[in-house]
């Protein structure tokens, strides 16, 4: 009976030691992953070096979430991890400020730089680019109207209504 108690005690001790080793191993593994993820949130490098960078045009739709934008950036090879981008956006000073639009992003930009670009107010030069690309169709239509009629059609219509008011009893000599 003593031998069976000794064997049982040894097996019990071995099983406990194996369980502790397994738990410590997994805890260590996941602690390293958590540390790495946390470190990368604040120190993520660009995907490529400046000399080997590629510029990619990406469109951000209205009401796109940070995770959707992160997935699009990851699919285009601009970032390494969409989940990391989500956390970076949450912790940045630009949370919930991502804007709709078409952007030119480079693979040598850090995620922090990309967030700044995606949240920046449009500059005056960007609005001119929109006009040149055909998005300013009202301005183009106005210019076409001026060249076809020899003047601005809107001004002619206003002048005509003023002339009619002058003929209806207004003082002479005033338009």
């Amino acid at each position: 009976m003593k031998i069976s108690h000794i064997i049982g005690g040894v097996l019990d001790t071995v099983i406990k030691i194996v369980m502790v080793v397994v738990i410590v191993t997994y805890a260590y593994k996941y602690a390293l992953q958590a540390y790495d993820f946390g470190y990368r949130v604040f120190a993520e490098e660009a995907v490529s070096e400046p000399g080997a960078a590629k510029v990619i045009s990406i469109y951000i739709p209205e009401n796109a979430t940070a995770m959707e934008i992160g997935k699009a950036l990851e699919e285009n090879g601009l970032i390494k991890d969409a989940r990391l981008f989500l956390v970076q956006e949450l912790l940045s000073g630009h949370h919930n400020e991502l804007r709709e639009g078409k952007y030119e992003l480079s693979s040598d930009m850090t995620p922090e730089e990309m967030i700044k670009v995606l949240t920046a107010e449009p500059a005056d030069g960007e609005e001119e680019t929109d006009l040149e690309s055909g998005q300013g169709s009202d301005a183009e239509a106005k210019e076409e109207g001026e060249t076809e009629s020899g003047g601005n059609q809107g001004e002619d219509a206003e002048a005509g209504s003023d002339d009619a008011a002058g003929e209806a009893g207004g003082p002479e000599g005033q338009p």
Side-chain angles (χ1 to χ4, degrees), residues 40-114:
R40 288 178 51 207
V41 166
F42 299 103
E44 181 74 0
E45 296 293 322
V47 174
S48 64
E49 297 297 318
K54 59 181 179 177
V55 176
I56 296 185
S57 179
I58 186 165
Y59 176 74
I60 305 299
E62 188 174 359
N63 298 324
T65 65
M67 188 63 182
E68 293 169 341
I69 295 170
K71 286 180 182 177
L73 295 174
E74 183 178 7
E75 288 171 1
N76 285 298
L78 294 169
I79 61 173
K80 296 175 187 173
D81 188 356
R83 293 175 297 139
L84 185 68
F85 182 81
L86 172 67
V87 174
Q88 289 168 326
E89 190 272 337
L90 287 171
L91 297 176
S92 75
H94 303 289
H95 179 57
N96 285 334
E97 295 179 10
L98 297 173
R99 300 179 182 279
E100 168 191 21
K102 187 174 182 180
Y103 298 94
E104 300 288 326
L105 300 173
S106 176
S107 61
D108 67 345
M109 297 172 77
T110 65
E112 182 180 344
E113 292 170 332
M114 289 182 200

Side-chain angles (χ1 to χ4, degrees), residues 126-148:
E126 291 176 11
E127 292 174 0
E128 291 174 12
T129 306
D130 290 344
L131 291 175
E132 293 171 1
S133 67
Q135 293 180 2
S137 58
D138 292 338
E140 291 173 3
K142 209 176 214 183
E143 289 177 14
E144 289 176 13
E146 288 178 8
T147 57
E148 289 176 6

